Amino acid sequence: MCIEGKQAAQLEIYNRYYKAMFNTALRIVKDSAEAEDVMQESFLNAFTKLHSFKGEVTFGPWLKRIVINNSIYHYRKQQKKNEVDLNDVMYKVEDDDVTVSDEGLTKLKAQKVTETMNLLKDNYRVALTLHLIEGYDYEEISKIMNISYANCRTTISRAKESLRKKLNEISE
C-alpha cells in the first residue's frame, strides 16, 4: 500500500514512527527545529525510496538509519557554517533539601548524562549517542561515521572516559 503512494498508509507509518525518529534526530543535531526538518526529510526520503527497501531488516531500523544519516549530514553542514549553538550550557542542581523519588532521581541522572554528553567533542558525542542510546554496535558505527573499526572502538572508549571526567567535575 505504502509503495503505491497511498497517503493513508504513509500517514499510518508516519504516526507510528515520528516520535522515535524525531528524538533520534534531536540527539544528533541538538536543535528541535532542525530535528523536525531532518525527520520530515527522512520520511520523504523513505517514502520515495521505498522500492529500494529489501526487507533485510524491519522498516523501523531501516528508517532510523535514514534519519541518522540525514542527521549527521545536517549536523556537519551546520558545523561548516559555524552556526554552533553556544547556549548548550549545563546547569547544576544545588538544592540538597529537595527529596526526589527513585524514578525521579534516575530521570535526573539520565538528564545530567545526556546534557553532559552535549559538552563532549562532536565525534565523541555522536559515537556515544549511536552506541549507548541508539544501540548500534562498533561495526555499524564505524560504517555510519566512515571510520575504521579500530578507530571506532578507540573513539568510544575515549568518549566514555571524557564523559566520566566531565560528570565527575560537575558533581564535585
Side-chain angles (χ1 to χ4, degrees), residues 117 120-121 123-129 132 152-165:
M117 279 177 64
L120 297 175
K121 289 178 13 181
N123 62 327
Y124 286 1
R125 183 182 51 75
V126 171
L128 276 184
T129 297
L132 299 176
C152 177
R153 288 182 57 95
T154 301
T155 300
I156 290 174
S157 175
R158 289 178 180 166
K160 286 178 181 178
E161 184 57 32
S162 181
L163 180 62
R164 270 188 219 101
K165 284 180 182 175

Side-chain angles (χ1 to χ4, degrees), residues 14 22 42 47-48 77 79 88 140 147 156 158 162 171:
Y14 178 84
F22 172 79
S42 298
F47 291 144
T48 57
K77 193 166 91 175
Q79 290 299 94
D88 289 337
E140 293 169 317
I147 57 177
I156 290 174
R158 289 178 180 166
S162 181
S171 64

Side-chain angles (χ1 to χ4, degrees), residues 67-129:
V67 171
I68 287 171
N69 289 340
N70 282 344
S71 298
I72 290 172
Y73 170 77
H74 279 273
Y75 187 77
R76 287 181 177 157
K77 193 166 91 175
Q78 178 185 3
Q79 290 299 94
K80 285 181 183 172
K81 290 180 180 178
N82 293 324
E83 296 176 357
V84 181
D85 184 8
L86 299 177
N87 295 324
D88 289 337
V89 179
M90 180 147 157
Y91 63 89
K92 185 174 175 183
V93 178
E94 295 191 13
D95 187 358
D96 293 331
D97 297 333
V98 178
T99 55
V100 183
S101 68
D102 286 346
E103 181 181 328
L105 189 59
T106 302
K107 285 181 182 177
L108 194 62
K109 286 179 182 177
Q111 182 180 6
K112 187 182 223 179
V113 169
T114 303
E115 289 170 349
T116 305
M117 279 177 64
N118 286 334
L119 301 173
L120 297 175
K121 289 178 13 181
D122 292 338
N123 62 327
Y124 286 1
R125 183 182 51 75
V126 171
L128 276 184
T129 297

